[in-house]
Every structure is written in C-alpha cells, then in structure tokens.
Amino acid sequence: MEMVSPSNRLELLFDDILYVGHAKKEHLLMCAVFEKIVGHSDAVLQIGELLLEAFQSEDARYDFVERLCQSLPEANLQAVEDDLKRLSPEELHRFALTGESDLPVMTLPVPNLMFTRDLAAVVHDRIIMSHAATSARTRESIIIHVVLHHHPRFEDVQDNIIKLPKGVTFEGGDLLVASPETVLIGHSERTSFGAIMAIAHELFEHTPVEHVLAVDLPKIRAMMHLDTVFTFASPDECVVFPPVIENDSFGYCVHLTASGTEGKFVTDMRLSFRSALEELLEREITFVKCGGGERLQQEREQWTDGANVFTVGPGAIIGYERNRRTFEGLRDRGYRVVKAESFLSYFEDSDYTPGAEKLAIQLAGTELSRGRGGPRCMTLPIARTTS
Ligand SMILES: NC(=[NH2+])NCCC[C@H](N)C(=O)O
C-alpha cells in the first residue's frame, strides 16, 4: 500500500493515499477483535503469510509465475519467466505483493489484497474462485489460486474448488449467503451476468442451494459490489443503502431456481428485493438504514462503507465508527455500541460469550475506510456453520 501514489492510484482503485502506519494498526485491532470473538488465536489467517507458506513448494512458485505471465501478456513478463521461477520463496513473495524484485522488470503492487473478500466466496463446502474484473486485481485471483491449490492447509478441499469459465468476471464482495438454500449475487461493475449463471449452475448441482437472487446494481465505483449497499447484521436484520436496495423496479431482481433440466433455470422477475428475500427466508427482515433517514447522510455513510458491516459471531457486528447514523440505527435495534478498544480491554482477562447480548463494535478505521472497503470486504470466511 506504500506504493500507491497520486499518479497510479486510480489504476490501483484507490481514491486516496492512506497513512499506512495507521492503517496497519487499525487492521491489527480489527484482527484482535476477531480473535477475541472467535476465541482462539488461529482464528485469523493472513493471506500474505499463506502465500509465503505456499511458495515453499516449487510447484506453487512455477504455477504462480506461469499464470502470471499468461494473465497479463502486456506486462511482458515472459521475458523473465525463467528468472522469476528461480527466485527464492521470499523473493517471489516480495515480487507477488509489490511488483518489485532484483530482476529488470517491474509491475504494479497489489494494495487491494487487503480486501480478501473479493478473492473467493465460500458456500457450503464449495469455494468459488474470483475472476477479477480489473487488471489491478488480476494478480489477486492468481494468489488465491496458488494458496488454495498448493497450501497444505487446503489439501482436502481440492475437489471442492469451483473455477468459473473464461470470459466471465466475479468478485466475492458480490456474493452473500442468506441461508443454507439462498444465495444473493450482485450484478455489478465487477460481476457479470455470465458469472452469476455459472455460479448458480454449480451451486444447484453441488450444494443444498436452491435459490439465487441476482440483484442488479448501478455500475459505478461507489457500489462496486453488492456488499457495499447490503450486508447481514443477523439472520433477520440487514444494513442497507436505501436508494439502491429499496428501489423496486422491473428487472432489478431476478430469482433463479433449478429447472431439473441440465442447463436450464426457472427465472422469476421480482419487483421488490425485500419481498423476494422475505419470501425465500420465510421471515420478516428489518432493514437498518445506512446513514439514517436522510439521503445526503445515506450517501456519505455508504461512501465510507456504512452498509458494509461484518458479523463476526452471533450478535456481534463490526463497522467503521465514522458511520455514526448507521450505528444509531443499530442502537435503536437494541445493539450495544462499543468501541473496539473498549471491547478488548473489557474482555482482557475473560472470555467473550457470543450471543449474550447484541454488540455493534466500532472500529475507528479512518485510514482503512479511505480504501473503499469495510470490515466485510477485509475478511474471507473459509468455513461456515449454521446456528
Ligand atoms: N467487497 C468489497 N466491497 N470490496 C471493496 C474493494 C475496494 C477496492 N479498492 C476495489 O476497488 O476493488
């Protein structure tokens, strides 16, 4: 992230230059909250470390270099393909993350790797790998490929990895698991309709998922994924950006179900996302408004990821503190609002019991929030249990 500059920031999908030291501290604080809530120190894995561990295998390094050379032919990395293959695990790791090495070739860094959510999506026992929509994030799709295929931790899931067909694009921030049978996918700036169909096909075939709701989003940067305008706080509460999510109109929400005939879906055009969701989940859902009741504040808080909360455990969600009105809405729903630091010091000498009360944890995140991603974007749950 230290390599994002005023001249390359747009290409790297950053609106601003972050104060990296502070961003790191904020990230560490967020991870400490996750560990406390989950209750063990192995709860949080760091993608950079997983990659370095995977690179201990020569096969992994070769696979990475070959895919990299094929995926970005314009970078002309083929010229140094053999040299790249000879780099040590540490040197290749540095090159993978920063684009720098001692070789006479340079490529862009991958500062968006902190938004691990977009690298893949886990639904039941399947892992859908991303097909990044932009060249700034293409290398991240290769990184997750290498980690999943070569890291010993993922040895047992090889047959469960879903690879999407060529030509479609998909980023994990667009997929939300609403229930064991229902998955929501944004048709966004980053995820193509072809990807939604391919994912629906795979899920219907291999998992208990029976319904996919495709949600059409404005194809704009501020709402690049579904989780920028809609996230679950609990099974019956969501934080939503009303102008987009409560905009009932024709073609905005398409319900896909399997037809029983290979290659065919039953589609059902829904005018209201809320009613489609409530019908599928068989319960009423409360929509907590990101930014409160006023349009201007809704837009301001959506821009700083007010609608992007992450549910760490039953009843415990985390979001950026600056989205004050969003937190007020959560307080009205019975959440106790507490700062991340206070949460950690309160539970310093005792265990946290999930579900004892509804907690909305505030992460200052003044630097992180300038990267256009919130706590949900910065996580990638790799296993789920239903409660
Ligand atoms: N799941 C998300 N909403 N991710 C946010 C990603 C932000 C990142 N800067 C990008 O533009 O790609």
Side-chain angles (χ1 to χ4, degrees):
M1 214 188 301
E2 245 147 17
M3 302 174 78
V4 180
S5 74
S7 51
N8 68 16
R9 69 180 175 87
L10 289 179
E11 190 182 355
L12 289 173
L13 310 171
F14 271 76
D15 301 296
D16 205 348
I17 310 300
L18 275 62
Y19 182 174
V20 178
H22 281 196
K24 275 191 186 151
K25 280 193 200 137
E26 293 169 359
H27 197 267
L28 283 174
L29 179 62
M30 182 183 75
C31 294
V33 169
F34 294 166
E35 279 177 3
K36 186 79 218 179
I37 292 180
V38 179
H40 56 88
S41 56
D42 198 25
V44 182
L45 309 172
Q46 300 293 348
I47 184 78
E49 289 168 18
L50 291 174
L51 182 66
L52 181 57
E53 286 157 12
F55 274 168
Q56 300 309 312
S57 123
E58 187 178 71
D59 281 354
R61 300 198 296 277
Y62 276 39
D63 194 8
F64 176 79
V65 171
E66 281 162 17
R67 282 173 190 274
L68 188 66
C69 293
Q70 281 160 18
S71 69
L72 296 172
E74 65 283 5
N76 199 22
L77 295 172
Q78 296 90 326
V80 289
E81 183 165 342
D82 291 340
D83 301 311
L84 284 170
K85 284 182 174 166
R86 278 193 291 270
L87 292 180
S88 69
E90 291 71 23
E91 286 164 335
L92 189 62
H93 182 252
R94 178 174 153 236
F95 179 75
L97 302 189
T98 65
E100 291 187 334
S101 68
D102 294 336
L103 299 174
V105 62
M106 224 184 127
T107 165
L108 287 171
V110 284
N112 289 298
L113 191 60
M114 70 183 202
F115 301 116
T116 45
R117 174 68 59 170
D118 301 325
L119 304 186
V122 176
V123 185
H124 293 280
D125 63 355
R126 302 284 139 165
I127 308 172
I128 307 155
M129 282 195 302
S130 72
H131 259 199
T134 62
S135 55
R137 304 199 68 176
T138 299
R139 195 145 89 239
E140 294 172 53
S141 295
I142 303 177
I143 289 175
I144 194 69
H145 174 100
V146 168
V147 167
L148 290 176
H149 288 86
H150 299 278
H151 194 291
R153 190 181 266 270
F154 300 104
E155 213 165 55
D156 298 340
V157 302
Q158 294 311 311
D159 294 338
N160 297 10
I161 300 174
I162 296 179
K163 291 179 197 136
L164 297 175
K166 272 206 170 85
V168 304
T169 63
F170 167 67
E171 298 184 356
D174 269 311
L175 190 147
L176 280 85
V177 180
S179 76
E181 298 80 31
T182 305
V183 164
L184 319 177
I185 311 182
H187 177 216
S188 66
E189 185 193 80
R190 307 289 177 84
T191 294
S192 63
F193 208 78
I196 298 179
M197 291 194 287
I199 293 170
H201 175 76
E202 295 281 348
L203 295 180
F204 294 155
E205 177 115 350
H206 300 292
T207 73
V209 171
E210 291 171 10
H211 309 276
V212 168
L213 270 190
V215 185
D216 192 34
L217 296 175
K219 313 293 180 271
I220 55 172
R221 160 144 194 79
M223 294 161 206
M224 84 289 274
H225 300 117
L226 180 58
D227 70 0
T228 63
V229 290
F230 180 91
T231 44
F232 279 94
S234 72
D236 58 5
E237 294 163 320
C238 304
V239 182
V240 309
F241 178 56
V244 166
I245 286 304
E246 302 219 81
N247 158 34
D248 301 347
S249 65
F250 191 66
Y252 146 71
C253 182
V254 179
H255 173 201
L256 305 177
T257 34
S259 69
T261 311
E262 165 93 38
K264 287 210 168 114
F265 298 131
V266 175
T267 57
D268 170 18
M269 205 71 101
R270 301 298 305 243
L271 284 178
S272 155
F273 172 60
R274 184 203 281 264
S275 70
L277 190 64
E278 289 186 330
E279 194 183 300
L280 290 174
L281 301 186
E282 295 174 342
R283 55 181 177 258
E284 272 181 32
I285 309 283
T286 301
F287 280 10
V288 176
K289 292 182 163 94
C290 162
E294 269 176 61
R295 174 72 184 246
L296 180 96
Q297 300 302 335
Q298 291 172 352
E299 284 182 15
R300 278 175 58 86
E301 297 202 4
Q302 190 278 331
W303 179 245
T304 50
D305 280 288
N308 190 271
V309 296
F310 177 57
T311 309
V312 196
I317 62 175
I318 184 164
Y320 288 139
E321 180 187 4
R322 61 189 299 164
N323 300 313
R324 201 164 58 76
R325 290 170 180 81
T326 308
F327 274 102
E328 275 165 22
L330 290 164
R331 191 180 277 121
D332 293 345
R333 288 287 310 160
Y335 282 81
R336 190 155 73 83
V337 176
V338 47
K339 286 194 200 307
E341 293 84 349
S342 318
F343 169 80
L344 286 175
S345 65
Y346 187 80
F347 287 105
E348 197 175 341
D349 302 316
S350 59
D351 289 339
Y352 166 79
T353 317
E357 64 177 330
K358 283 161 78 171
L359 272 190
I361 301 170
Q362 296 177 316
L363 182 69
T366 46
E367 291 308 313
L368 290 177
S369 62
R370 299 204 273 147
R372 279 301 69 72
R376 186 182 194 266
C377 312
M378 291 185 288
T379 52
L380 174 58
I382 52 175
R384 291 173 196 279
T385 50
T386 35
S387 56

